[in-house]
């Protein structure tokens, strides 16, 4: 049993209307990234050494999440609004 990837919930309130589509697109991308990581996890049972999951799945997932969360922040700030302060804290996922 491989388990599954668990990531912090990303909820963004008070998104300016002009940024909503871009924010929603990146929120959907975050969900797709988790699904992709879980598929990779399930398909890699028995592969690699003890650090395989961290190096091959969790590390790259965190990098992708940092980029998507940054795009959310930029989309909101571009409209003159304030993005949630702790968005980048939601980038790190773990094996659940």
């Amino acid at each position: 049993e491989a388990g599954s990837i668990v990531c912090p919930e990303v909820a963004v309130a008070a998104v300016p209307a002009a940024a909503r589509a871009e924010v929603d697109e990146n929120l959907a991308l975050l969900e797709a990234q988790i699904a992709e990581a879980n598929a990779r996890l399930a398909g890699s049972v028995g592969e690699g050494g003890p650090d395989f999951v961290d190096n091959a799945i969790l590390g790259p997932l965190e990098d992708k999440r940092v980029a998507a969360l940054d795009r959310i922040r930029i989309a909101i700030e571009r409209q003159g609004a304030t993005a949630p302060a702790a968005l980048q804290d939601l980038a790190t996922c773990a094996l659940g």
Side-chain angles (χ1 to χ4, degrees):
E1 172 61 28
S4 65
I5 306 292
V6 179
C7 299
E9 180 73 29
V10 178
V12 186
V15 175
R20 174 53 67 189
E22 190 174 354
V23 168
D24 285 349
E25 181 181 314
N26 281 288
L27 290 172
L29 184 60
L30 288 168
E31 292 303 315
Q33 291 167 351
I34 295 169
E36 183 182 297
N38 275 311
R40 176 105 167 85
L41 183 66
S44 68
V45 174
E47 270 185 44
D51 297 329
F52 176 81
V53 171
D54 284 341
N55 295 335
I57 300 174
L58 292 175
L61 175 60
E62 181 173 353
D63 293 342
K64 291 176 189 174
R65 286 176 64 83
V66 164
L69 291 165
D70 206 39
R71 288 191 298 271
I72 290 170
R73 179 188 58 77
I74 291 166
I76 292 170
E77 291 176 351
R78 193 183 302 130
Q79 302 307 321
T82 302
L87 267 183
Q88 291 304 327
D89 296 346
L90 304 175
T92 304
C93 302
L95 190 56

